Amino acid sequence: MMICADGKVIPREQMPETDEYFCGDLTTQTIAEVWNGDLLKEMTYGMPRERFQGLPCSDCDERNECHNVIGFCIRDLAVHYGDIYQTPTNCYKSTLPHIRMT
């Protein structure tokens, strides 16, 4: 996790420091509370299937292994697509163009 200058926390370095990616605030929480919190868990290993409606991940038989065992980088999704709830950039089922948002 990355602690921003104002005490807000984002899951990974180099992610946009915007409300949608904040998973804690050290001005009101401890590091342990953020680390063990539901928001950080959801953005890393607990992304709900419902957030992927209309994408290959929503009904993929390999999703649990891909998301929770192999893993993928939410920073890459934020940078390339502007949204962490997308098919991983290296997924063979992805139909999204590989672009970089800057």
Side-chain angles (χ1 to χ4, degrees):
M1 69 182 193
M2 172 74 178
I3 301 168
C4 304
D6 62 358
K8 301 246 169 119
V9 178
I10 52 178
R12 294 281 319 257
E13 77 288 349
Q14 301 174 356
M15 286 185 71
E17 295 178 22
T18 58
D19 288 342
E20 65 195 296
Y21 300 124
F22 290 139
C23 56
D25 186 343
L26 296 183
T27 63
T28 60
Q29 298 173 281
T30 66
I31 290 175
E33 288 173 330
V34 175
W35 184 257
N36 296 311
D38 291 338
L39 284 174
L40 183 60
K41 286 179 186 174
E42 178 182 318
M43 290 185 190
T44 52
Y45 291 103
M47 299 174 112
R49 193 178 285 266
E50 308 83 65
R51 299 291 300 259
F52 294 90
Q53 289 302 316
L55 297 171
C57 296
S58 66
D59 59 0
C60 181
D61 293 336
E62 301 169 73
R63 180 190 180 278
N64 193 42
E65 182 179 347
C66 175
H67 283 231
N68 301 323
V69 178
I70 297 170
F72 58 91
C73 183
I74 61 173
R75 185 210 57 204
D76 287 350
L77 295 173
V79 170
H80 290 283
Y81 304 124
D83 183 1
I84 63 171
Y85 297 100
Q86 290 292 338
T87 306
T89 55
N90 62 346
C91 177
Y92 68 94
K93 294 181 180 181
S94 178
T95 58
L96 295 170
H98 193 70
I99 59 171
R100 184 173 178 92
M101 306 291 286
T102 56

